Amino acid sequence: AELGKPRERSCSLPGVDFNYGLYTRGLDGGVPAAIGHWNVFKQQPTCPHELTRNYIAMNRGAVKAGLVTARENFLYRQLNDIRISDQEDRHVKKDLPSLPPNMTFGTPARPSTPFFDLLQHRYQQLWVQEQKATQKAIKLEKKHKVILGKLYETRSSQLRKYKPPVKLDALWQMPHFQKVRPHLSTFPTEADRQRALRAHQDEHAVRQGTLRMGNYTHP
């Protein structure tokens, strides 16, 4: 290596007249030999076609002979090797289905994404319409639904709704106070006063106390 310079990792190339690769000597005779004669490829002898074993016939024969174990079946097949003939093998092997000549193989391409429907929220609108249609159908079904059976009023249900009549006794007043009108009225109108009195009269039967106004009242 030269002083003060890195080592060169290269090799010098041969001259211009150098041929790369290996020289193959021709053994075929070149063009004259090709024109003069023709080398024919000799077909290699093919192996005989091995027939398929007829396991059904061998199993049937083993059962008839009284052989049931795996070892006995193996020995029986070694001694009685039954094969299926070519004609029977053709019936066993199903022919491939015929395909039309214009058939295209492969997976079809995925359709393009509808960007305009996505930008316009088309799928959301369709979903809302489907939900409305479903709710409408449910309401119609409930409306036209036939009520099976009839509800009958029993004595218990009638007594639960019954309100016993309350006999109202007039309060005793002194004769000289009967024509005196009240000095204080807490109801805004006479209709409100009558409505409050009717409510009090309806609840009068279930209230407790001497004045029938509740447990918190005293005479």
Side-chain angles (χ1 to χ4, degrees):
E2 300 181 10
L3 184 61
K5 292 184 179 180
R7 183 185 295 274
E8 296 180 358
R9 304 281 184 180
S10 60
C11 301
S12 59
L13 298 176
V16 181
D17 55 347
F18 180 79
N19 296 325
Y20 295 90
L22 299 176
Y23 179 73
T24 305
R25 297 183 181 274
L27 302 177
D28 54 354
V31 178
I35 295 175
H37 64 278
W38 186 262
N39 294 327
V40 181
F41 177 75
K42 295 181 180 180
Q43 186 177 3
Q44 298 292 335
T46 58
C47 298
H49 176 65
E50 185 177 0
L51 300 178
T52 308
R53 277 188 169 187
N54 193 347
Y55 291 99
I56 299 176
M58 288 188 291
N59 293 340
R60 189 186 304 113
V63 171
K64 288 181 180 179
L67 308 176
V68 293
T69 62
R71 178 67 179 173
E72 293 173 350
N73 275 280
F74 176 75
L75 295 176
Y76 181 83
R77 291 177 184 179
Q78 293 293 330
L79 298 175
N80 302 278
D81 193 4
I82 305 174
R83 301 282 179 169
I84 302 175
S85 62
D86 293 339
Q87 296 179 356
E88 294 178 356
D89 199 7
R90 292 195 192 97
H91 292 292
V92 173
K93 293 182 179 179
K94 296 182 180 179
D95 297 333
L96 296 176
S98 59
L99 300 176
N102 57 351
M103 182 177 178
T104 304
F105 295 90
T107 306
R110 186 178 64 85
S112 59
T113 304
F115 288 102
F116 291 101
D117 294 342
L118 294 176
L119 295 175
Q120 296 175 359
H121 302 285
R122 178 62 179 172
Y123 297 104
Q124 179 183 1
Q125 297 174 4
L126 293 176
W127 182 82
V128 172
Q129 293 177 4
E130 291 178 358
Q131 296 298 320
K132 290 182 179 179
T134 306
Q135 295 296 332
K136 187 176 180 180
I138 292 173
K139 289 181 179 179
L140 290 176
E141 184 179 359
K142 290 182 178 180
K143 184 177 181 180
H144 297 288
K145 187 175 181 181
V146 179
I147 300 175
L148 300 177
K150 186 178 180 181
L151 298 178
Y152 294 93
E153 291 288 343
T154 61
R155 183 172 179 81
S156 299
S157 62
Q158 292 178 356
L159 290 175
R160 218 177 284 124
K161 297 178 182 179
Y162 176 72
K163 294 182 180 180
V166 179
K167 185 178 180 181
L168 300 177
D169 296 331
L171 299 177
W172 180 83
Q173 291 182 352
M174 296 179 69
H176 60 278
F177 288 119
Q178 291 180 357
K179 296 183 180 180
V180 178
R181 297 183 61 82
H183 295 280
L184 181 63
S185 179
T186 58
F187 297 97
T189 60
E190 185 64 22
D192 295 336
R193 178 177 175 276
Q194 295 296 333
R195 185 164 54 252
L197 287 176
R198 284 195 299 270
H200 176 70
Q201 292 171 2
D202 292 339
E203 298 179 357
H204 187 268
V206 297
R207 287 183 178 273
Q208 298 178 2
T210 307
L211 300 180
R212 296 293 180 182
M213 297 185 65
N215 292 333
Y216 53 87
T217 58
H218 299 281

